[in-house]
Amino acid sequence: MQLANITTRPPHLVQALEALAQRADYRAAADTLLDELSGITVLVAKRYTNDKTAEGLQEAYHLTVGCISLGISQAELPDTDESKLSFLLHHGAEYVFQMGFRHIKELSALPYVAFISEFDNDSFVQQRNLKALFYEICRADPSATWAADDVYRRELASRRENQRFVECARWLRKQHYAGPIKDSDLDANAVIAIAVIFGIAGDGRIVARTGQKDIESLISRTRKTPPDIEAAWGKLLEHIPVEFQPLLRERMDEYRDTIIKKILSRSKAKTVITEIQDFYAGNELDVEYP
Amino acid sequence: MPDNKTNLPAISRQVTELVLAGSTEHAEEAFNEAAEQFGDLAVVEVLDSLEPQVASLHLSAFDGGKLSLATLLIPPKAWAESLAFFAATWDEDTIEDEPEVLAEALFAHIHGVVFASDDHERRAALIHEALATDWGTTAFAVLFSTAMEEIIEIANDIHNHGAHRSGQTTSDHDVIPLALEIARTDEDAWNRVLFELFPDWQPGANELRADSEDDDGDDDEHGDQEYASGRSTRELLLRLRKQVPSKAVSTPKKGARPSLGEDIFA
C-alpha cells in the first residue's frame, strides 16, 4: 500500500534556532537575535496588531516568526538547519524580516484575479490588501508545522499568471481596431475571449471590446460564408507579440470545439449571443444596444 | 546566621518568579514564611537581593491599606532603587489625562513606605537614600506639586526661621507631614526637592509662586524676575517617567548592527 508522503517541519526560523542550540557557544548570537526579534515584534505590533495588549503582541510574535521564515525560505539555501542559521546570523533578523516583507509586498502588487478595477489603485485598498496578505501568509505558530512557503509559491505563480493576462489584455485594448480603449476597469479574460472569438472573421482586426450588435453581425457573417478558422487565427496571431501568443493559443484550443462550433452551427443566434455575453465577453460588453 | 545563607538565593528566586508571574500575594506569603523560619533579617536580605524592578513591582501591589512585610522591611537603599521603576507602567496619555491619579498612587506608595514604622532612624534613612537619587527627588517633587500653596508657605517659613522652628501651617494636606519630615531630617535633601520643584528659585532674590499660568502674558518679564514658578505635576510625572532605566539604554550592544527601525517594512 502506498502511503501519502507527508513531511512536516517547523517554521524556518525555528529550524535555524534549533541549529543555534546545537552550537557550542551560542550565547552572544542568541542575545543579539533575541534583541532583534523582540524589536521586530514590537514594530509589527505597533503597525499591524496592537502593542498595548497581550493578544496584540502574541499576534505580532506569530507574524514575525512567519515573515522571517518566509524570508529564509525564499533565499534558495541548501535545505539544512545550519545554512538557514548562518543566513539569518549573516544578514541579521531585521534584514531577513525585510526580505520576507518585500516578498509579501511583491505578491500584493500582483493582481489577485485577472480583473482590474479602479479600487486597486486606491492606496487605502492597497494597504488593506497588503495587511491581509501579510496575515494570511506570515502568521506562523512556532510550535506547529509550517508550509506557508508553499502557499506563497502557489499564490505567486497564480498571480503572475493573472498579471500575464492583464498585460495581454492591456495590449489588446491598445490595438483595438476602433482606437485604444480607455477604461479603469479591466476584465482581462473577457478582453482575450473577445479578441479570439472575433479573430475567426479573418479580417486581421483586433477586437477588444464589443456590443451585442457586433456579435450578431459576426454570427450572421460567419454563417453566410464559413471562414477558415485556423487561417483566420493564424492571421490574428501574426499581429500579436510573441510573449502573448501562447496565451491566445491556449484560448483557441479551448474555444475551437465549444463556442466557435456553436457560432457556426445552426443553433439559434439568440442562444449563442446569450452564451457569449454570459460566459465570454463578461464586463467588456457594451450594454447599450445601438 | 551562616546556615540560612544557603536558603536565601532560593527564596529570592522564588519570590522573583512569583512577583513576575503576577502573584504578589504568594510572594508575600513566601516572605512571611521566611520571616517565621529565619527571622526578619532574612527577609531584609532577600529584599536587598531582589532586582529593583521586581521589588518595585512587588511593593506597588501593596499600596494603600494592604500591609506588606516588604513595606516594613525593605532596606532603604533597595527601596530608593526600586523607586526608579515605579513610573515604568505609566504612559503619556495617562500622564496627560489623569496626572492626579498617578500622583495619588505615588503618594500612597511613598507615604506607605516612609510611615510604615515609627522608627525615626529608618525613616531618615529611607528619605536620605531616596533623595540621594535623581528619580527619588523627582518623585517627591511630584507629591509636593499637588500642594503648591502649602509647600511654598513651608518653604518660605523654613527659609526664614529654619526647619525646626517652623511647621505650623494652616493646612492639613496629606503631604505636609512628609515635607516636614524631610526638612527636619535632611536639609540637603529638602533643598534638592525644592530645586526640582522650583528650578528658578533663588532664595532671597525672587519669590515662589504657585502657578505660572495665572497671569502669563501681561507681565512676563516682571514675573520672571520677581517670581519663580514651579513645575506642574504633569511636567514632573513626565520627568519621572523619563528616568525609568531601560535596558536598551543601559547596555548598548557592541558589535550589533544598527537597527533598521520602521524600514523593516520598506
Side-chain angles (χ1 to χ4, degrees):
Chain A
M1 185 174 74
Q2 180 89 39
L3 286 177
N5 185 17
I6 300 170
T7 47
T8 58
R9 52 190 161 80
H12 283 30
L13 173 62
V14 177
Q15 295 181 21
L17 293 180
E18 277 165 2
L20 181 60
Q22 303 296 318
R23 286 194 178 176
D25 182 25
Y26 56 78
R27 207 104 230 141
D31 277 354
T32 314
L33 265 184
L34 183 65
D35 271 8
E36 290 177 344
L37 291 174
S38 34
I40 296 169
T41 306
V42 171
L43 286 171
V44 172
K46 276 201 179 126
R47 193 170 171 126
Y48 285 109
T49 62
N50 183 347
D51 63 328
K52 302 251 162 68
T53 64
E55 289 88 4
L57 285 167
Q58 174 82 6
E59 188 80 1
Y61 164 63
H62 285 166
L63 288 168
T64 305
V65 171
C67 193
I68 292 179
S69 298
L70 182 67
I72 299 176
S73 74
Q74 299 304 305
E76 291 173 3
L77 304 166
D79 190 23
T80 66
D81 293 358
E82 186 60 34
S83 64
K84 284 166 194 150
L85 176 63
S86 346
F87 178 77
L88 179 63
L89 293 180
H90 176 72
H91 292 280
E94 288 192 328
Y95 279 92
V96 178
F97 181 91
Q98 193 189 46
M99 292 174 206
F101 200 75
R102 282 180 180 173
H103 288 308
I104 297 295
K105 270 188 162 171
E106 183 197 356
L107 195 57
S108 165
L110 293 171
Y112 168 63
V113 287
F115 188 99
I116 306 284
S117 81
E118 60 182 325
F119 290 115
D120 293 320
N121 296 320
D122 184 285
S123 73
F124 177 76
V125 172
Q126 283 171 353
Q127 283 306 315
R128 195 197 56 191
N129 290 345
L130 176 64
K131 181 177 175 178
L133 208 52
F134 180 48
Y135 268 65
E136 186 188 323
I137 294 189
C138 288
R139 191 159 30 189
D141 181 349
S143 56
T145 165
W146 189 74
D149 51 342
D150 292 337
V151 176
Y152 170 79
R153 255 180 235 118
R154 276 200 302 275
E155 187 68 8
L156 186 65
S158 113
R159 286 189 184 216
R160 280 201 175 134
E161 177 93 349
N162 293 337
Q163 180 68 11
R164 260 180 356 116
F165 285 132
V166 168
E167 276 163 12
C168 177
R170 283 204 174 118
W171 185 88
L172 289 170
R173 270 191 166 184
K174 249 190 235 152
Q175 311 298 323
H176 185 54
Y177 72 99
I181 294 163
K182 292 202 173 63
D183 184 352
S184 53
D185 287 7
L186 168 73
D187 183 345
N189 280 317
V191 171
I192 295 169
I194 291 172
V196 169
I197 291 174
F198 277 84
I200 61 169
D203 48 10
R205 286 197 313 186
I206 290 176
V207 183
R209 199 176 183 105
T210 184
Q212 185 167 340
K213 198 113 194 241
D214 300 325
I215 303 177
E216 283 172 13
S217 84
L218 177 77
I219 293 175
S220 62
R221 261 189 297 147
T222 49
R223 284 193 180 169
K224 220 176 278 165
T225 45
D228 177 352
I229 293 185
E230 298 308 321
W233 274 345
K235 212 167 168 189
L236 175 67
L237 285 172
E238 278 170 25
H239 296 98
I240 307 283
V242 189
E243 67 263 37
F244 298 138
Q245 285 183 7
L247 221 156
L248 290 180
R249 281 214 174 89
E250 241 170 64
R251 287 301 166 93
M252 290 169 182
D253 292 342
E254 199 181 308
Y255 294 170
R256 188 173 290 121
D257 292 326
T258 52
I259 188 68
I260 302 296
K261 230 180 200 164
K262 269 194 197 147
I263 289 175
L264 299 175
S265 73
R266 260 180 295 168
S267 42
K268 259 199 235 149
K270 200 174 161 236
T271 358
V272 181
I273 291 170
T274 315
E275 190 174 338
I276 292 179
Q277 285 174 341
D278 289 352
F279 298 108
Y280 297 90
N283 288 305
E284 299 296 329
L285 185 89
D286 285 325
V287 200
E288 296 84 23
Y289 192 80
Chain B
M1 30 182 160
D3 308 341
N4 300 341
K5 282 264 184 199
T6 51
N7 281 315
L8 297 185
I11 296 175
S12 35
R13 212 167 33 244
Q14 182 196 7
V15 169
T16 301
E17 273 166 20
L18 285 169
V19 172
L20 290 182
S23 193
T24 42
E25 297 286 345
H26 290 104
E28 194 58 28
E29 264 172 40
F31 278 134
N32 283 325
E33 273 169 30
E36 265 171 39
Q37 215 170 338
F38 308 113
D40 286 357
L41 275 177
V43 178
V44 172
E45 272 202 53
V46 171
L47 283 166
D48 210 10
S49 67
L50 289 183
E51 301 263 345
Q53 64 272 28
V54 177
S56 171
L57 201 54
H58 182 69
L59 286 173
S60 63
F62 287 93
D63 292 332
K66 276 189 282 180
L67 201 65
S68 156
L69 259 188
T71 316
L72 279 167
L73 294 174
I74 186 156
K77 192 152 182 78
W79 178 59
E81 275 166 18
S82 79
L83 258 187
F85 292 90
F86 195 85
T89 55
W90 300 350
D91 60 56
E92 286 190 15
D93 289 345
T94 325
I95 293 177
E96 193 61 36
D97 297 343
E98 32 198 30
E100 312 82 19
V101 176
L102 299 178
E104 187 68 30
L106 187 61
F107 174 76
H109 173 70
I110 291 180
H111 192 272
V113 173
V114 172
F115 290 96
S117 78
D118 292 332
D119 181 349
H120 282 279
E121 269 177 48
R122 178 173 160 81
R123 245 184 240 178
L126 284 167
I127 288 171
H128 178 75
E129 289 293 349
L131 287 166
T133 64
D134 289 344
W135 55 81
T137 311
T138 310
F140 277 83
V142 167
L143 308 188
F144 295 161
S145 73
T146 59
M148 281 292 198
E149 302 283 351
E150 290 84 350
I151 291 299
I152 290 172
E153 191 184 340
I154 296 180
N156 285 329
D157 209 24
I158 290 176
H159 182 63
N160 296 332
H161 307 292
H164 292 279
R165 295 208 17 233
S166 56
Q168 307 306 316
T169 74
T170 49
S171 159
D172 56 352
H173 196 286
D174 285 347
V175 306
I176 304 306
L178 198 59
L180 288 176
E181 190 76 29
I182 296 171
R184 282 172 190 162
T185 57
D186 196 332
E187 202 180 332
D188 286 346
W190 171 248
N191 286 332
R192 273 200 299 278
V193 181
L194 278 188
F195 183 66
E196 177 72 11
L197 191 55
F198 305 101
D200 302 324
W201 189 36
Q202 297 162 299
N206 55 13
E207 279 180 47
L208 296 172
R209 190 170 63 165
D211 195 4
S212 57
E213 284 153 34
D214 277 356
D215 48 3
D216 244 2
D218 37 81
D219 54 355
D220 249 353
E221 217 160 288
H222 177 76
D224 277 349
Q225 283 168 359
E226 216 116 311
Y227 298 104
S229 37
R231 288 185 169 129
S232 68
T233 306
R234 188 176 298 147
E235 217 174 317
L236 288 160
L237 286 169
L238 269 178
R239 278 171 72 81
L240 187 57
R241 177 66 186 84
K242 286 194 181 124
Q243 288 180 60
V244 175
S246 80
K247 217 179 168 197
V249 177
S250 61
T251 54
K253 267 258 159 41
K254 48 180 192 300
R257 64 199 97 218
S259 170
L260 285 172
E262 283 281 318
D263 278 352
I264 60 171
F265 303 112

